[in-house]
């Protein structure tokens, strides 16, 4: 009865992530997909949005739950009762990164093991960054992420475009009123 933690930013979740969660759920008794609350990188979606999208994308997997967390991943692994951290590997860069983080985690908590899955070849080049870039330009991302995430991406970029437009108009109005 080994419980695993699958941590990540999931900004947003895509089929590469779903594939890893699905395969982990077939091996471990329970998989806690842990959405990191405050990563040191700029995010498109809020924690609540990322959590909600992941919940819907993984709802068909009965032994998978989705939670958010902050702080050290190993501390959250202990809190969640997980003795294994699951990560996905796409390429050598992922390997090098996971090797280093895995070493640090092991120094911090020797009782938490790392289990890396080689990604499904269909998603080897897929990243949340590529997904967001294509979606921001109106490209078709249906082969990479579920319909509700496609919708969320489309809504988010429409909102950003509207806000940008409003800011421009606001800026002009500001100048106009300043001069008048
Ligand atoms: P990070 O946790 O590094 O901020 P993500 O949230 O995007 O990055 O990814 C969470 C985990 O999912 C990481 O282990 C990452 O390597 C893995 N992953 C990301 N994209 C894919 C993919 N296309 N196929 C399989 N695993 C992936």
């Amino acid at each position: 009865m080994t419980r695993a933690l699958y941590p990540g930013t999931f900004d947003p979740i895509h089929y590469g992530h779903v594939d890893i969660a699905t395969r982990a759920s077939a091996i471990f008794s329970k998989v806690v997909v842990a959405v990191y609350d405050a990563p040191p990188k700029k995010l498109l979606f809020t924690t609540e949005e990322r959590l909600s999208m992941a919940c819907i994308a993984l709802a068909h997997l009965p032994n998978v739950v989705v939670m958010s967390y902050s702080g050290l991943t190993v501390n959250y692994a202990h809190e969640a009762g997980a003795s294994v951290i699951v990560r996905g590997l796409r390429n050598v860069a992922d390997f090098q990164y996971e090797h280093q983080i895995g070493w640090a985690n092991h120094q911090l908590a020797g009782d938490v093991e790392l289990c890396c899955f080689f990604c499904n070849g269909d998603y080897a080049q897929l990243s949340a960054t590529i997904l967001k870039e294509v979606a921001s330009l109106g490209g078709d991302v249906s082969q990479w992420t579920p319909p509700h995430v496609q919708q969320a991406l489309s809504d988010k970029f429409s909102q950003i475009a509207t806000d940008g437009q409003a800011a421009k108009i606001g800026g002009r109005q500001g100048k106009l009123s300043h001069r008048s």
Side-chain angles (χ1 to χ4, degrees):
M1 295 294 281
T2 305
R3 188 178 288 204
L5 187 79
Y6 179 28
T9 309
F10 305 109
D11 184 45
I13 192 161
H14 54 62
Y15 286 141
H17 298 130
V18 173
D19 177 65
I20 299 293
T22 304
R23 287 159 59 202
S25 75
I27 294 175
F28 300 106
S29 59
K30 185 167 181 177
V31 176
V32 179
V33 172
V35 177
Y36 190 47
D37 192 16
K41 57 185 181 185
K42 204 172 173 293
L43 298 176
L44 182 63
F45 292 102
T46 65
T47 302
E48 290 68 32
E49 288 167 336
R50 289 179 286 130
L51 186 82
S52 157
M53 284 185 278
C55 276
I56 296 169
L58 302 169
H60 60 290
L61 299 170
N63 61 337
V64 173
V65 294
V66 184
M67 311 292 275
S68 65
Y69 79 107
S70 54
L72 281 174
T73 301
V74 286
N75 287 353
Y76 189 64
H78 285 152
E79 209 178 295
S83 55
V84 175
I85 290 176
V86 163
R87 297 283 288 174
L89 296 182
R90 284 163 294 188
N91 48 40
V92 174
D94 274 358
F95 172 80
Q96 281 174 337
Y97 178 75
E98 298 302 338
H99 198 197
Q100 193 169 30
I101 299 294
W103 170 83
N105 282 341
H106 202 71
Q107 295 281 308
L108 293 167
D111 57 332
V112 178
E113 281 298 338
L114 173 65
C115 177
C116 289
F117 288 71
F118 286 115
C119 78
N120 180 319
D122 289 346
Y123 307 122
Q125 303 302 328
L126 177 58
S127 68
T129 305
I130 291 280
L131 174 63
K132 286 180 280 193
E133 192 166 341
V134 173
S136 75
L137 298 168
D140 178 11
V141 294
S142 58
Q143 69 279 31
W144 298 336
T145 200
H148 68 285
V149 179
Q150 293 166 41
Q151 187 62 51
L153 283 162
S154 159
D155 292 347
K156 184 67 85 175
F157 287 119
S158 299
Q159 186 60 51
I160 289 170
T162 307
D163 290 350
Q165 203 55 34
K168 274 187 202 162
I169 294 166
R172 283 199 205 109
Q173 278 176 338
K175 276 185 184 169
L176 212 64
S177 59
H178 178 68
R179 282 183 186 180
S180 56

